[in-house]
């Protein structure tokens, strides 16, 4: 059962999401709130698998609440999906920097929202190649020239190839097709890379792939 925390300052939106999610046999909403401060408090209380987090909320905004939740050592299994009515590049880049595993606009189709929760719960990132390119372009405008960190010495040449493809926004099946390996082998490579580089999810690998210089805006696709 996937446990979910809803954080949105609009009661009607929370009610709609709750009805949709609770109707699924493998999902349950354990708590809901309307402020970022309460989102952090409830996450620490309930230890949800997935937090659906609005960006614009009173008290503490969704980005800061995401940072606090994902930096809490007591919540290693919690994943955050950012929800907003504003599909702005600044928000997307900052959400990933904060550690979010996904980003959805609120008018997403119900089936896509349910799919997103399951994808993130399974440890994958909800980042399409187009969104990934936009993130990297945003990072490029606000970052110094990338220099490969020493941490990359911990991974093999094959794992570097996989990391580059993750950075381009490819999923495991697409990586498998590009490298002529099985999807299970691709998933194993990604898992090992995350352990070696000490990152919690695929979204953070995207940022690392850019910041290490393995991927630059214009390479993807």
């Amino acid at each position: 059962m996937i446990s979910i925390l809803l954080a949105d300052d609009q009661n009607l939106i929370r009610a709609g999401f709750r009805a949709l999610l609770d109707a699924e046999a493998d999902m349950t909403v354990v708590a809901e709130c309307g402020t970022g401060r309460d989102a952090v408090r409830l996450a620490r209380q309930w230890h949800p698998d997935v937090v659906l987090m609005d960006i614009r909320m009173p008290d503490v905004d969704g980005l800061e609440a995401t940072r606090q939740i994902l930096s809490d050592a007591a919540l290693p299994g919690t994943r955050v999906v950012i929800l907003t009515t504003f599909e702005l590049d600044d928000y997307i880049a900052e959400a990933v920097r904060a550690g979010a595993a996904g980003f959805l606009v609120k008018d997403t189709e119900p089936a896509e929202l349910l799919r997103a929760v399951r994808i993130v719960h399974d440890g994958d990132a909800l980042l399409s190649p187009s969104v990934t390119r936009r993130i990297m372009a945003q990072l490029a405008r606000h970052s110094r020239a990338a220099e490969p960190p020493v941490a990359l010495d911990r991974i093999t040449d094959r794992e570097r190839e996989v990391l580059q493809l993750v950075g381009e926004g490819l999923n495991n099946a697409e990586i498998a097709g590009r490298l002529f390996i099985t999807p299970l082998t691709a998933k194993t490579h990604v898992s090992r890379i995350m352990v070696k580089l000490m990152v919690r999810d695929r979204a953070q690998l995207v940022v690392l792939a850019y910041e290490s210089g393995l991927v630059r805006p214009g390479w993807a696709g």
Side-chain angles (χ1 to χ4, degrees):
M1 184 70 71
I2 304 173
S3 58
I4 302 162
L5 167 61
L6 294 177
D8 193 294
D9 63 348
Q10 298 182 54
N11 293 335
L12 186 60
I13 288 179
R14 290 205 314 271
F17 283 170
R18 182 162 203 148
L20 174 67
L21 296 164
D22 278 343
E24 296 297 299
D26 61 338
M27 298 182 190
T28 182
V29 176
V30 295
E32 61 178 82
C33 62
T35 71
R37 191 184 307 277
D38 282 341
V40 176
R41 177 180 59 81
L42 290 171
R44 290 169 176 162
Q45 176 181 342
W46 289 96
H47 293 239
D49 297 314
V50 177
V51 179
L52 295 181
M53 181 82 73
D54 186 21
I55 281 187
R56 294 189 173 184
M57 290 188 293
D59 258 349
V60 173
D61 69 25
L63 291 176
E64 179 56 30
T66 295
R67 293 186 189 97
Q68 291 184 31
I69 289 171
L70 297 182
S71 64
D72 192 329
L75 298 171
T78 298
R79 302 286 182 263
V80 176
V81 175
I82 294 290
L83 294 166
T84 183
T85 54
F86 304 95
E87 191 176 4
L88 302 179
D89 289 347
D90 281 342
Y91 282 162
I92 295 174
E94 284 305 308
V96 174
R97 279 191 179 278
F103 183 98
L104 290 172
V105 291
K106 290 182 182 178
D107 61 359
T108 297
E109 292 295 323
E112 185 62 23
L113 175 62
L114 296 174
R115 174 178 170 272
V117 170
R118 294 187 176 102
I119 285 175
V120 170
H121 176 257
D122 288 342
D124 219 334
L126 192 71
L127 295 171
S128 68
S130 62
V131 169
T132 300
R133 285 193 289 270
R134 290 163 60 192
I135 291 170
M136 291 190 295
Q138 189 65 217
L139 291 173
R141 286 193 288 272
H142 298 289
S143 301
R144 298 186 303 271
E147 296 181 2
V150 176
L152 287 190
D153 293 342
R154 301 173 188 165
I155 63 176
T156 66
D157 289 342
R158 173 59 98 182
E159 288 167 348
R160 281 175 180 251
E161 290 182 280
V162 172
L163 177 57
Q164 180 178 327
L165 296 177
V166 169
E168 292 179 10
L170 275 64
N171 61 32
N172 290 338
E174 292 165 336
I175 291 171
R178 186 78 66 88
L179 299 180
F180 303 103
I181 57 179
T182 68
L184 179 59
T185 299
K187 182 177 181 179
T188 299
H189 280 312
V190 172
S191 297
R192 287 176 177 169
I193 294 167
M194 287 193 288
V195 170
K196 289 181 179 181
L197 299 184
M198 296 182 289
V199 299
R200 62 181 290 148
D201 58 37
R202 201 179 188 103
Q204 291 297 291
L205 284 183
V206 170
V207 175
L208 192 150
Y210 167 77
E211 292 183 337
S212 68
L214 286 179
V215 180
R216 295 200 304 266
W219 289 19

